């Protein structure tokens, strides 16, 4: 293993240099919670967090994004819009990076999503190894502890100093240009390896899905007609929070608006979610998933079956955000899959 070492002071200077030269987004603390936000000072960056409120997905797939601008007078003009400028994302945990890697694959296949891909090309990602897990996390069950790709640099706190692994030539260049570092000594690598080997036990013991990832799809398929879907969905508010908070959910709705001058307008997309009542409603008024139980079940099948077939792994990284935001406490994948497994 090859790594560089940054002291905490040198890491701060590195981040400050990045802020001086471009847009930097990092994890900050807000009212005792953590959120990705634009960094004005390196000292605002927090790397020893458990989980952020929203995943960093919003920087590669904004909640609202203009796709086309048009005007109809004096003549019809249509212009494609791609809102993408360079930025650096610091402090991404491996499970959130795995989610971005999945989105990359999904937006790239068949019809390439130019807006997503251009924005993604502009992103420099500096990932960080978690030092703690939220009480809802189950990333150990979802093979989301380690990522090999997707990051330019990967930081690991090895006790007062950071080990930096280089993921891309761009990351290497960035480090050489903006940071003061030294080569890792054998003792540093040993420390890094011991931290890494302890990671699978970081999620709490009761946050474990009692099945291997490839078995989870079969568990769902066997119990497609289980009463669990109906029973849990009875308490569902159809608020869509479990979708909107999720790092792997990428459904969107496309809308148009015309300015008050009745000449100019735009087409934009906004996040959508399959738990929302109108998600599967079409122009004629027909709703393909009118019942809450159908929508509730669909979310699980979408992630653990339909997308799992495309990605060869479930589209869930075990961040636990859906469980933490669900007021009636019904959305938790750990409870749902373990309960289904116990069913006859
Ligand atoms: S389904 Fe829940 S736990 Fe899985 S990635 Fe989405 S928010 Fe995280
Ligand atoms: S499962 Fe929970 S978070 Fe999801 S829509 Fe229903 S009530 Fe909202």
């Amino acid at each position: 293993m090859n790594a560089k070492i940054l002291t905490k002071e040198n890491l701060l200077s590195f981040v400050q240099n990045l802020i001086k030269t471009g847009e930097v987004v990092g994890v900050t603390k807000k009212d005792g919670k953590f959120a990705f936000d634009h960094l004005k000072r390196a000292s605002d960056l927090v790397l020893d967090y458990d989980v952020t409120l929203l995943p960093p997905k919003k920087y590669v797939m904004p909640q609202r994004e203009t796709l086309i601008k048009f005007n109809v007078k004096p003549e019809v003009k249509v212009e494609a819009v791609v809102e993408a400028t360079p930025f650096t994302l610091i402090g991404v945990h491996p499970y959130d990076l795995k989610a971005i890697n999945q989105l990359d694959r999904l937006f790239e296949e068949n019809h390439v999503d130019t807006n997503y891909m251009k924005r993604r090309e502009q992103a420099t990602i500096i990932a960080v190894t978690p030092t703690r897990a939220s009480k809802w996390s189950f990333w150990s069950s979802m093979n989301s502890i380690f990522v090999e790709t997707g990051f330019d640099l990967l930081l690991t706190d090895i006790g007062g100093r950071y080990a930096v692994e280089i993921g891309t030539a761009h990351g290497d260049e960035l480090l050489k240009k903006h940071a003061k570092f030294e080569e890792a000594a054998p003792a540093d690598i040993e420390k890094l390896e011991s931290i890494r080997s302890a990671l699978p036990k970081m999620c709490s013991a009761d946050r474990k899905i009692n099945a291997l990832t490839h078995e989870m799809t079969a568990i769902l398929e066997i119990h497609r007609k289980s009463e669990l879907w109906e029973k849990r969905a009875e308490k569902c508010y159809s608020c869509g929070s479990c979708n909107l908070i999720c790092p792997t959910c990428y459904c969107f709705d496309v809308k148009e608006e015309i300015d008050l001058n009745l000449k100019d307008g735009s087409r934009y997309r906004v996040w959508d979610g399959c738990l929302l009542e109108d998600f599967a409603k079409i122009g004629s008024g027909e709703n393909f998933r009118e019942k809450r139980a159908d929508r509730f079940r669909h979310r699980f099948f979408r992630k653990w079956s339909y997308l799992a077939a495309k990605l060869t792994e479930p589209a869930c990284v075990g961040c636990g955000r859906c469980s933490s935001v669900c007021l009636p406490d019904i959305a938790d994948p750990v409870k749902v899959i373990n309960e289904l497994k116990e069913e006859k």
Side-chain angles (χ1 to χ4, degrees), residues 232-233 235-245 274-276 292 295-296 299-300 321-332:
R232 282 192 166 250
K235 296 185 197 156
C236 178
Y237 299 136
S238 299
C239 64
S241 302
C242 51
N243 293 135
L244 303 179
I245 204 96
C274 57
L275 267 288
L276 296 168
R292 274 181 300 177
R295 297 196 292 274
F296 183 81
R299 172 176 162 252
F300 283 88
R321 289 183 179 97
C322 53
S323 325
S324 71
V325 295
C326 180
L327 287 179
D329 189 18
I330 52 170
D332 185 359

Side-chain angles (χ1 to χ4, degrees), residues 268-330:
Y268 61 95
R269 65 178 168 194
V270 283
W271 291 354
D272 204 351
C274 57
L275 267 288
L276 296 168
E277 200 171 342
D278 284 349
F279 181 80
K281 199 171 181 181
I282 57 167
S284 64
E286 182 75 24
N287 192 337
F288 293 110
R289 281 191 292 276
E290 200 168 6
K291 285 165 63 186
R292 274 181 300 177
D294 289 346
R295 297 196 292 274
F296 183 81
R297 182 176 62 179
H298 174 78
R299 172 176 162 252
F300 283 88
F301 274 79
R302 170 89 172 148
K303 289 185 180 300
W304 271 271
S305 179
Y306 317 142
L307 285 177
K310 276 190 187 186
L311 296 164
T312 63
E313 60 187 2
C316 168
V317 294
C319 69
R321 289 183 179 97
C322 53
S323 325
S324 71
V325 295
C326 180
L327 287 179
D329 189 18
I330 52 170

Side-chain angles (χ1 to χ4, degrees), residues 131-146:
T131 50
R132 56 201 172 105
S134 86
K135 66 174 184 171
W136 298 103
S137 303
F138 56 100
W139 29 264
S140 303
S141 292
M142 301 311 300
N143 297 334
S144 310
I145 306 168
F146 307 110

Side-chain angles (χ1 to χ4, degrees), residues 103-314:
L103 295 183
D104 289 352
R105 289 167 63 192
L106 294 163
F107 278 117
E108 210 172 16
E109 67 163 17
N110 304 327
H111 178 76
V112 176
D113 189 299
T114 310
N115 291 65
Y116 176 89
M117 295 314 295
K118 290 269 180 208
R119 193 183 299 277
R120 186 65 182 85
E121 277 165 22
Q122 298 291 345
T124 297
I125 298 188
I126 303 182
V128 66
T129 302
T131 50
R132 56 201 172 105
S134 86
K135 66 174 184 171
W136 298 103
S137 303
F138 56 100
W139 29 264
S140 303
S141 292
M142 301 311 300
N143 297 334
S144 310
I145 306 168
F146 307 110
V147 273
E148 302 292 331
T149 57
F151 61 85
D152 293 286
L153 296 172
L154 169 63
L155 306 174
T156 305
D157 187 340
I158 56 166
R161 301 182 315 147
Y162 281 90
V164 189
E165 289 162 77
I166 294 165
T168 61
H170 173 59
D172 190 27
E173 196 184 312
L174 215 58
L175 200 65
K176 283 182 180 144
K177 197 166 167 193
H178 295 295
K180 216 165 131 194
F181 60 86
E182 54 195 64
E183 294 300 322
D188 297 323
I189 300 292
E190 221 171 277
K191 181 87 190 168
L192 177 58
E193 279 169 353
S194 99
I195 287 169
R196 192 157 294 171
S197 59
L199 284 174
K201 293 203 176 115
M202 197 175 273
C203 294
S204 124
D206 60 356
R207 298 298 294 154
K208 186 175 181 306
I209 297 185
N210 300 323
L212 297 172
T213 47
H214 70 271
E215 296 166 340
M216 294 174 192
T217 307
I219 292 172
L220 253 67
E221 294 289 355
I222 293 166
H223 298 288
R224 190 179 272 269
K225 294 199 174 147
S226 165
E227 284 177 6
L228 172 143
W229 307 114
E230 199 77 51
K231 254 166 96 184
R232 282 192 166 250
E234 274 171 15
K235 296 185 197 156
C236 178
Y237 299 136
S238 299
C239 64
S241 302
C242 51
N243 293 135
L244 303 179
I245 204 96
C246 177
T248 66
C249 276
Y250 64 98
C251 288
F252 56 83
D253 196 2
V254 175
K255 302 186 178 200
E256 280 172 5
E257 67 185 9
I258 310 278
D259 289 357
L260 286 175
N261 63 13
L262 298 182
K263 289 182 194 161
D264 310 317
S266 63
R267 176 177 291 173
Y268 61 95
R269 65 178 168 194
V270 283
W271 291 354
D272 204 351
C274 57
L275 267 288
L276 296 168
E277 200 171 342
D278 284 349
F279 181 80
K281 199 171 181 181
I282 57 167
S284 64
E286 182 75 24
N287 192 337
F288 293 110
R289 281 191 292 276
E290 200 168 6
K291 285 165 63 186
R292 274 181 300 177
D294 289 346
R295 297 196 292 274
F296 183 81
R297 182 176 62 179
H298 174 78
R299 172 176 162 252
F300 283 88
F301 274 79
R302 170 89 172 148
K303 289 185 180 300
W304 271 271
S305 179
Y306 317 142
L307 285 177
K310 276 190 187 186
L311 296 164
T312 63
E313 60 187 2

Side-chain angles (χ1 to χ4, degrees), residues 7-68:
T7 60
K8 288 208 166 161
E9 295 71 35
N10 286 342
L11 174 65
L12 274 180
S13 310
F14 174 46
V15 175
Q16 197 59 48
N17 286 339
L18 295 177
I19 294 171
K20 272 189 216 155
T21 52
E23 187 190 349
V24 179
V25 169
V27 181
T28 58
K29 196 167 184 181
K30 284 188 182 154
D31 303 326
K33 308 243 188 250
F34 302 98
F36 280 93
D37 203 352
H38 293 271
L39 283 184
K40 289 196 186 80
R41 291 179 300 262
S43 54
D44 291 340
L45 177 68
V46 181
L47 291 179
D48 62 339
Y49 70 97
D50 51 3
V51 71
T52 53
L53 293 166
L54 276 178
K57 176 185 79 176
K58 62 181 175 170
Y59 294 99
V60 286
M61 186 192 171
Q63 192 266 334
R64 177 182 165 139
E65 181 175 27
T66 304
L67 303 175
I68 288 174

